[in-house]
């Protein structure tokens, strides 16, 4: 049910999120920063603070860390490098590690395409290097994997992502390239231990929602549930889509979620 809040309450909630995103502790400095942002963007700035941060980011049901994970996934998917740069630093303040943020870029190579993943990785590395006291982890090359090892990893990932059902249903869509695609996406990217599978599911769901891919989103919403994301958390992920990819995409996403749960 709806509760009524005052404009002042939304502003206070939004200013609190602003302070953690921007790393500003002093209340007077937070207020000055918010007011400068409003002067730069006018009513759009007001709505960022009061609606996007004060009414969406402030909702219970998903941690700020996970909201940052969703936001980075969407911004990289829609190739918004300026916004991505600032949100990388906010994400670290919200508890994502530099290694996890780099892993978001890798995951998106399969779901948003390599060009956007490359640009995102470049932006992420630059944003991390600008932060004092934060070390950007070195990027060791991926170890080469033989197909036997990739197939074993595919079986393991399919066991959680698709509930142990075989990948047979995935074999047809890409013709004779399907096996190679599955060996890479599931056997190499999804199998990496650098990020929890629940988090990988949230990245993929956020990206697919931003791309308006409801059929694939429905499949991955089901996988996210198997990986431990609750219905409430997936609903909150889609509420974030309203802000970062627009209301129509979020409406599509809610339809996919309902279909996944039925």
């Amino acid at each position: 049910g709806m509760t009524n809040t005052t404009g002042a309450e939304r502003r206070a909630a939004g200013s609190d999120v602003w302070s953690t995103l921007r790393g500003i502790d002093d209340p007077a400095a937070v207020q000055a920063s918010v007011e400068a942002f409003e002067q730069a963007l006018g009513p759009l700035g007001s709505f960022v603070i009061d609606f996007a941060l004060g009414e969406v980011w402030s909702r219970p049901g998903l941690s700020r860390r996970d909201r940052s994970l969703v936001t980075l996934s969407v911004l990289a998917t829609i190739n918004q490098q300026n916004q991505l740069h600032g949100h990388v630093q906010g994400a670290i303040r919200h508890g994502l590690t530099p290694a996890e943020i780099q892993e978001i870029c890798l995951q998106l190579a399969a779901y948003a395409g390599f060009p956007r993943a490359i640009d995102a990785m470049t932006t992420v590395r630059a944003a991390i290097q600008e932060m004092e006291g934060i070390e950007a982890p070195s990027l060791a090359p991926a170890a080469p994997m033989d197909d036997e090892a990739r197939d074993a990893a595919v079986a393991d990932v399919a066991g959680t992502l698709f509930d142990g059902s075989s990948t047979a249903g995935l074999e047809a869509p890409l013709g004779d390239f399907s096996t190679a695609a599955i060996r890479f996406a599931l056997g190499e990217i999804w199998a990496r231990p650098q990020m929890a599978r629940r988090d990988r599911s949230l990245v993929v769901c956020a990206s697919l929602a931003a791309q308006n891919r409801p059929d694939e989103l429905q499949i991955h919403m089901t996988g996210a549930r198997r990986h431990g994301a609750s219905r409430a958390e997936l609903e909150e992920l889609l509420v974030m889509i309203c802000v970062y990819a627009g209301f129509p995409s979020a409406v599509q996403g809610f339809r996919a979620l309902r279909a996944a749960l039925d």
Side-chain angles (χ1 to χ4, degrees), residues 49-234:
I49 304 298
D50 298 334
F51 176 70
L53 304 186
E55 213 158 3
V56 173
W57 270 82
S58 301
R59 287 168 59 87
L62 200 61
S63 68
R64 288 192 190 178
R65 176 218 182 254
D66 289 347
R67 289 187 190 276
S68 277
L69 178 108
V70 168
T71 302
L72 296 179
S73 303
V74 173
L75 292 173
T77 295
I78 63 176
N79 203 17
Q80 292 291 329
Q81 300 303 318
N82 281 341
Q83 295 296 308
L84 179 62
H85 187 284
H87 273 283
V88 166
Q89 299 182 348
I92 288 176
R93 297 183 186 110
H94 286 159
L96 280 170
T97 68
E100 287 170 328
I101 295 174
Q102 292 177 167
E103 209 60 30
I104 292 171
C105 302
L106 285 179
Q107 187 75 20
L108 289 175
Y111 293 93
F114 273 83
R116 286 181 280 193
I118 292 167
D119 280 1
M121 183 71 86
T122 304
T123 295
V124 160
R125 298 283 293 174
I128 292 170
Q129 276 155 1
E130 281 175 23
M131 293 184 77
E132 283 180 36
I134 304 287
E135 206 56 40
S138 62
L139 291 172
M145 290 175 73
D146 295 336
D147 282 341
E148 282 182 18
R150 296 207 290 179
D151 288 342
V154 166
D156 178 62
V157 171
T160 62
L161 186 59
F162 304 117
D163 199 24
S165 61
S166 79
T167 53
L170 302 173
E171 299 295 343
L174 292 171
D176 66 4
F177 185 65
S178 294
T179 299
I182 292 164
R183 280 171 166 169
F184 172 66
L186 270 58
E188 294 200 67
I189 292 187
W190 267 94
R192 288 172 60 84
Q194 285 87 344
M195 179 182 267
R197 287 192 189 167
R198 171 191 172 275
D199 291 346
R200 291 189 188 277
S201 277
L202 295 183
V203 170
V204 172
C205 287
S207 182
L208 292 172
Q211 295 179 71
N212 295 301
R213 296 285 185 267
D215 294 349
E216 282 76 17
L217 179 58
Q218 181 180 334
I219 293 166
H220 279 282
M221 287 282 189
T222 304
R225 295 283 291 116
R226 294 194 186 107
H227 287 154
S230 69
R231 176 187 183 134
E233 287 173 328
L234 293 174

